[in-house]
Amino acid sequence: MTIETRSIEGIATPVSRIGLGTWAIGGWMWGGADDRNSIATLHGALERGINLIDTAPVYGFGHSEEVVGQALEDRRDQAVIATKLGLDWTDRGPRRNSTPQRIRQEIEDSLRRLRTDRIDLYQVHWPDPLVPIEETAAELEKLRREGKILAIGVSNYSPEQMDAFRREAPLASVQPPYNLFERAIEKDVLPYARRHGLAVLGYGALCRGLLSGRMKPDTTFGGDDLRTSDPKFRAPRFAQYLAAVEALGALARERHGKSVLALAIRWVLEQGPTIALWGARRPDQLNGIDEAFGWTLDEQDLKDIDALLAEHVKEPVGPEFMAPPARN
């Protein structure tokens, strides 16, 4: 398998165009964690050539970073680590906080948990409406000049917010939700990234497993699973999305001999300066990565995919339910 790569400004190592997302590895909102499986998954990703590892302190309230640090301690130079800042948490859950003081605390905590002396890509997880964007950017630029981080990114930012950020610091990437079912960034964020040379790390590339092809009408979720609060997984929308997945799978098989999962990832990679984040916490959940490379979707494929989505998904919804609150 030949892994597709791209560059991110400030990072010398080319990064794989599929990155391993580690939210589920933290356990919180995904039904618990199994560290042995998680470490095997991280090692398996590296062995397949997937060198971009995306994590965050809030994933398991530090646990995901700790597991990533343990797994990569003796393989640090094989990996490009992307983590985040700008959320803290109480017993009521996470909230936005991008003050300079919080940033200074977070960088030291993340470096310790990740068992490393630098973070390759440091991203603001969500914009904080109580802190001027320029103030957050200026603090991150100080960290970059100190050598604690190599490149700066943002997540869930609008073009206007990125403009403000770029007045104080160089911006290398943006991380929005992006998949076949959640495409709002095509109106603004994606064209902005193309104009300004930003890498786009699309999170939720498989739409929380919906595009894996493994879900059935009787699939259910319980406990703290994120999908219990996602309107896509409730009637009547769930049936609409499953019908779209079935139709997309038929197109993928008939035209390319591929799975719907491979189609979903390939589609993200066709959209420009994009990297697809692939969430996994068991080694078997890496199966299918190979299928995403070495082929393309043509113009007719893309038109027909859009038509299938319009035919089956009558009540589309975005990922807005995931946004954490601001501080009081």
Side-chain angles (χ1 to χ4, degrees):
M1 175 182 65
T2 301
I3 294 287
E4 294 176 26
T5 62
R6 64 152 294 146
S7 61
I8 295 179
E9 187 173 354
I11 301 173
T13 304
V15 302
S16 52
R17 290 194 68 203
I18 292 177
L20 180 66
T22 65
W23 187 358
I25 280 174
W28 173 64
M29 299 194 80
W30 293 96
D34 181 329
D35 293 353
R36 182 177 297 180
N37 265 332
S38 297
I39 290 170
T41 303
L42 285 152
H43 290 169
L46 292 179
E47 289 161 7
R48 291 169 183 256
I50 303 303
N51 68 344
L52 177 63
I53 310 298
D54 183 76
T55 187
V58 78
Y59 299 166
F61 306 112
H63 190 68
S64 177
E65 283 191 331
E66 288 171 350
V67 174
V68 169
Q70 183 180 350
L72 301 183
E73 186 171 24
D74 60 351
R75 310 178 189 216
R76 178 64 181 92
D77 291 337
Q78 297 178 38
V80 174
I81 295 178
T83 193
K84 306 178 187 75
L85 71 305
L87 292 179
D88 63 12
W89 52 84
T90 66
D91 56 3
R92 293 188 297 274
R95 58 180 189 169
R96 307 184 198 195
N97 186 347
S98 294
T99 61
Q101 296 85 353
R102 177 65 185 169
I103 292 170
R104 284 289 165 177
Q105 176 185 337
E106 286 205 71
I107 186 69
E108 297 305 330
D109 289 344
S110 288
L111 289 170
R112 183 188 72 254
R113 287 190 291 253
L114 291 165
R115 307 185 189 190
T116 186
D117 61 353
R118 91 275 180 190
I119 290 165
D120 301 302
L121 179 62
Y122 205 34
Q123 307 159 97
V124 185
H125 208 150
W126 288 85
D128 182 349
L130 301 183
V131 178
I133 286 172
E134 294 86 349
E135 189 174 311
T136 297
E139 194 64 31
L140 288 171
E141 174 61 1
K142 291 178 185 176
L143 292 180
R144 191 182 71 84
R145 292 178 180 275
E146 292 168 16
K148 293 186 176 182
I149 62 179
L150 301 185
I152 302 170
V154 293
S155 182
N156 304 297
Y157 267 52
S158 70
E160 294 75 19
Q161 291 167 328
M162 287 188 279
D163 275 339
F165 195 99
R166 290 172 59 240
R167 287 195 281 270
E168 294 294 334
L171 192 59
S173 70
V174 58
Q175 184 175 146
Y178 195 42
N179 57 65
L180 276 165
F181 295 144
E182 297 171 335
R183 297 170 58 173
I185 69 164
E186 292 174 355
K187 300 174 184 176
D188 51 8
V189 172
L190 187 55
Y192 184 94
R194 291 184 182 124
R195 288 197 304 273
H196 296 285
L198 307 182
V200 176
L201 281 64
Y203 72 79
L206 294 176
C207 201
R208 296 167 288 290
L210 195 52
L211 286 158
S212 69
R214 299 172 185 143
M215 291 189 181
K216 307 298 180 187
D218 59 354
T219 300
T220 58
F221 310 95
D224 68 350
D225 195 300
L226 174 72
R227 290 164 290 196
T228 61
S229 57
D230 186 338
K232 289 183 184 63
F233 295 85
R234 298 176 186 164
R237 290 189 177 95
F238 191 37
Q240 295 177 15
Y241 282 105
L242 288 180
V245 171
E246 185 176 352
L248 292 167
L251 183 150
R253 288 190 303 274
E254 292 165 8
R255 296 193 187 175
H256 300 283
K258 302 291 183 180
S259 67
V260 67
L261 182 152
L263 176 79
I265 298 298
R266 187 69 245 167
W267 181 90
V268 172
L269 300 183
E270 298 286 336
Q271 305 306 315
T274 46
I275 293 167
L277 294 180
W278 177 301
R281 56 177 167 174
R282 301 193 314 268
D284 65 283
Q285 291 174 332
L286 299 172
N287 295 339
I289 281 181
D290 306 18
E291 276 196 278
F293 297 119
W295 61 291
T296 60
L297 294 165
D298 63 25
E299 186 175 346
Q300 190 61 50
D301 288 329
L302 297 174
K303 287 180 180 178
D304 290 344
I305 286 169
D306 287 347
L308 288 173
L309 295 175
E311 176 185 352
H312 292 286
V313 183
K314 303 299 184 183
E315 302 175 77
V317 288
E320 296 82 6
F321 74 98
M322 290 194 290
R327 288 163 289 140
N328 293 329

